[in-house]
Amino acid sequence: MTGAVRIPLNDYGVLGEPPALGEWTPTRTVSVVVPAHRAERTLPLTLAGLARQTYPAHLMEVVVVDDGERPMSPPLESYAGPLPERLRVVRPRDGEWGRASACAAGAEAAHGEVILYLDADIVLFPEHVEAQMRWHHMADYLVVLGHLRFVPGLDEVPASEVLAAVDAGAVHKLYAEEDATPQWTERRWDQTDDLRAAGFSAFSVMVGATASLPARLLRDAGGLDASLVLGEDTELGYRLAQAGAVFVPDRRSRCWHLGRSTVMRREADVKRHNWPHLAERVPSFRWLRRHPHRSYLVPYVDVVVEVGDASFEDVRATVDAVLAGRLPDVRVTVVGPWGRLGGGRRDPLGDPALDLRLVLACYQGEPRVRFREAVPDDCFPVPFRFHCPPGWVPSRGTIGSVVKHADRQRLGVVSLALDERKDGRVVSARLERTAAMSRARRCAGPGDDLDDLVHEMYGTVWVAGATWGFLPADIASATASPMPGHDRARSSSGSPRSAPGWVRFTPRSLRATPGSLRFVRRPLRRTARSLRRRLRALVRPA
């Protein structure tokens, strides 16, 4: 049995065309959240546009968040022009201010199944809300972006004229399209077939001036970061992507933005302000993380090492190799029964838990290492998780290269076969893309296998670990170069796809043939050749 509709990458085209405006029956409720700060001149125009929407009034509420230093004056009831039927005004919590805090307060007060964020200086076309809501009836993990154009402010077109156009249903006649300035995101839409081909970068055009998403999706992503006073919409877009969201621009959801935006007026200042904050929180912006030796609030890769019955030496070899890699913004999660380590009297050298204690002691002062009793369900909002068995040592470039390969090939999971034990158990490492795993969980129905869903929507691959520079700890410690000739095995793009160890198939085909990778311990090069032959034999015909 299947669950939600399965959308590959950001290609929402699999949903088909949304219903024609005015020719369908909406059922979902929406809360339009309007953060307002010193917006006394423009807010009445935004509210008038909301009062004239084609979306059913009984399914729509409007929550204005008054973010001024003092409550707005005059009150909304005294505004000229129409007001939405279901309208409330709330204030942020005491001591909180800024757009992110206001949006969070509005979402907390909202009752709708969908949250639509809207700036307070926007004039809406009548079908604006309906156009976005069509998509939310088709899938429940979409972020829909409205189509915005910048037009002159009220100094050129008086508010009375704007209100008259709204009341007469003639908003489209207020300004000529050719005289309006497109938002910067529109160029990105044009370049990527309206984001269908944007892949993993679709989130980067998330702009909160007009955007809607399911309230549950917003909660799952953690809401807006109230510590950010600018750039909060981009950062939220990143976390929504990690939660499995798909980003859909709708050119029929039209509106006019009165006056130029802050970015248009002070672009250099905005970037100077935002980039340090985004560098800490959005690891996908690699160009903001140029420093070779520092860590950030949100790591790029979370490396999970499960201690099990491994020795202290094996665990240390693996963790040290990860920390010494060329990818600096990693975090290592060492999983073991740390709660067993009591503080009572014991034989310090004969302690059965000595290896565990040594692992804990070895990394207590390392800020990039954390200790957990069990493998967390996910590593959100970290974009990648890399499972690495203790006693296996990646080369300095291994993890970064595997991540780059996953990005180039747009893969959700990369599994690396390392060895096979005499009992038939395959030892492997595994890179998981958080966005892919989150999407699979959202789409899974009863009986669905997450890896199969990831393969369907993103793709998965199995490769020989030796191709990527993995060595057993004992061999790695005895050799000066972790992988002689490793660079020569790669193609010019840095991907080993042309190398003989590269195969692609569904994870189920590996599980369906236990023991088919059976081989005994041989010298490393013979082992790699044997593994590649057996992996090729497992490829399931298309």
Side-chain angles (χ1 to χ4, degrees):
M1 183 181 297
T2 58
V5 61
R6 302 165 186 179
I7 301 175
L9 295 170
N10 204 69
D11 187 8
Y12 56 89
V14 298
L15 297 174
E17 290 297 320
L21 294 171
E23 298 180 11
W24 63 296
T25 303
T27 59
R28 303 197 74 182
T29 57
V30 57
S31 296
V32 182
V33 174
V34 184
H37 175 66
R38 298 178 182 175
E40 289 80 3
R41 296 183 65 200
T42 57
L43 180 59
L45 310 180
T46 302
L47 295 178
L50 287 169
R52 293 291 184 259
Q53 289 296 297
T54 58
Y55 200 73
H58 72 279
L59 295 176
M60 183 177 73
E61 68 167 351
V62 177
V63 180
V64 174
V65 186
D66 180 6
D67 188 36
E69 292 81 358
R70 291 176 296 277
M72 63 177 61
S73 179
L76 295 185
E77 292 77 9
S78 65
Y79 281 6
L83 294 174
E85 290 183 15
R86 302 171 62 204
L87 172 64
R88 289 183 288 144
V89 180
V90 300
R91 295 273 294 174
R93 293 192 182 98
D94 290 342
E96 295 186 357
W97 62 277
R99 188 181 185 280
S101 293
C103 288
E108 185 176 340
H111 300 143
E113 299 168 83
V114 175
I115 305 294
L116 194 160
Y117 288 118
L118 200 65
D119 277 359
D121 50 5
I122 283 178
V123 180
L124 302 176
F125 284 55
E127 67 278 2
H128 186 92
V129 174
E130 180 190 352
Q132 293 195 30
M133 287 301 296
R134 296 179 300 171
W135 295 99
H136 294 299
H137 287 70
M138 300 173 72
D140 62 359
Y141 55 95
L142 305 182
V143 178
V144 185
L145 310 174
H147 184 258
L148 181 150
R149 291 286 179 94
F150 294 92
V151 295
L154 295 180
D155 293 337
E156 296 191 25
V157 179
S160 58
E161 187 175 331
V162 175
L163 280 175
V166 170
D167 209 38
V171 173
H172 63 285
K173 296 181 179 179
L174 276 171
Y175 308 93
E177 283 281 351
E178 58 271 18
D179 295 334
T181 303
Q183 193 174 30
W184 66 268
T185 56
E186 195 169 332
R187 181 184 303 175
R188 180 67 172 154
W189 296 7
D190 295 339
Q191 294 169 343
T192 59
D193 189 20
D194 282 349
L195 299 186
R196 292 181 184 88
F200 306 123
S201 66
F203 78 88
S204 62
V205 298
M206 168 80 175
V207 176
T210 167
S212 59
L213 69 164
R216 179 180 177 183
L217 177 62
L218 179 64
R219 290 192 298 270
D220 290 347
L224 280 101
D225 186 345
S227 69
L228 298 175
V229 293
L230 289 176
E232 75 288 337
D233 44 6
T234 301
E235 192 274 339
L236 174 62
Y238 163 76
R239 282 186 286 114
L240 289 169
Q242 304 315 307
V246 171
F247 296 83
V248 180
D250 193 315
R251 296 179 187 264
R252 298 296 303 274
S253 181
R254 303 168 65 195
C255 61
W256 303 121
H257 186 287
L258 298 172
R260 303 171 71 202
S261 69
T262 304
V263 174
M264 295 170 69
R265 290 182 282 107
R266 303 180 62 181
E267 181 178 359
D269 292 335
V270 170
K271 289 180 177 179
R272 180 174 182 267
H273 177 278
N274 288 356
W275 283 0
H277 295 281
L278 295 179
E280 289 289 331
R281 294 164 174 83
V282 184
S284 300
F285 289 166
R286 304 308 293 162
W287 47 277
L288 290 179
R289 296 189 171 187
R290 298 294 191 184
H291 197 287
H293 302 298
R294 61 156 295 186
S295 55
Y296 299 83
L297 282 176
V298 181
Y300 193 39
V301 181
D302 181 27
V303 180
V304 176
V305 180
E306 297 184 64
V307 174
D309 58 358
S311 68
F312 161 61
E313 287 75 15
D314 278 351
V315 175
R316 181 175 62 178
T318 299
V319 175
D320 282 355
V322 171
L323 296 177
R326 295 194 185 98
L327 198 65
D329 48 344
V330 298
R331 178 180 70 199
V332 181
T333 300
V334 185
V335 178
W338 312 110
R340 263 177 27 192
L341 303 180
R345 185 183 294 275
R346 62 186 182 276
D347 179 357
L349 300 182
D351 182 2
L354 177 59
D355 285 79
L356 272 179
R357 294 185 189 277
L358 293 178
V359 171
L360 186 63
C362 190
Y363 297 107
Q364 279 183 320
E366 172 53 66
R368 291 188 291 168
V369 175
R370 64 177 187 168
F371 299 90
R372 294 292 184 270
E373 292 278 333
V375 178
D377 291 338
D378 58 57
C379 63
F380 176 90
V382 180
F384 293 99
R385 179 157 70 177
F386 192 82
H387 296 267
C388 187
W392 286 86
V393 176
S395 72
R396 292 191 65 207
T398 294
I399 296 177
S401 295
V402 175
V403 169
K404 286 181 180 178
H405 180 63
D407 277 342
R408 291 191 185 105
Q409 301 299 324
R410 297 190 169 189
L411 297 169
V413 171
V414 178
S415 298
L416 300 97
L418 304 176
D419 197 359
E420 187 175 40
R421 304 305 189 196
K422 291 182 178 179
D423 61 2
R425 181 172 58 91
V426 176
V427 180
S428 63
R430 172 181 166 105
L431 178 76
E432 298 173 346
R433 186 183 299 275
T434 300
M437 300 304 295
S438 298
R439 179 86 56 83
R441 292 187 187 97
R442 292 189 180 280
C443 295
D448 283 336
D449 182 86
L450 290 184
D451 278 6
D452 287 347
L453 292 177
V454 171
H455 184 77
E456 178 181 342
M457 293 186 286
Y458 289 82
T460 62
V461 68
W462 275 83
V463 295
T467 306
W468 293 92
F470 259 104
L471 288 177
D474 53 351
I475 296 178
S477 63
T479 180
S481 175
M483 188 59 186
H486 178 53
D487 291 337
R488 292 193 296 274
R490 294 184 174 279
S491 66
S492 59
S493 66
S495 166
R497 184 165 186 168
S498 60
W502 197 97
V503 295
R504 186 181 186 121
F505 54 96
T506 61
R508 179 171 290 170
S509 62
L510 179 66
R511 295 195 301 273
T513 54
S516 59
L517 294 180
R518 196 176 302 279
F519 57 87
V520 296
R521 191 78 169 235
R522 301 185 180 98
L524 182 62
R525 292 184 180 179
R526 292 179 61 198
T527 297
R529 288 197 297 269
S530 176
L531 177 61
R532 287 196 288 270
R533 286 198 302 269
R534 285 156 174 75
L535 286 173
R536 269 195 226 101
L538 292 176
V539 178
R540 185 160 57 191

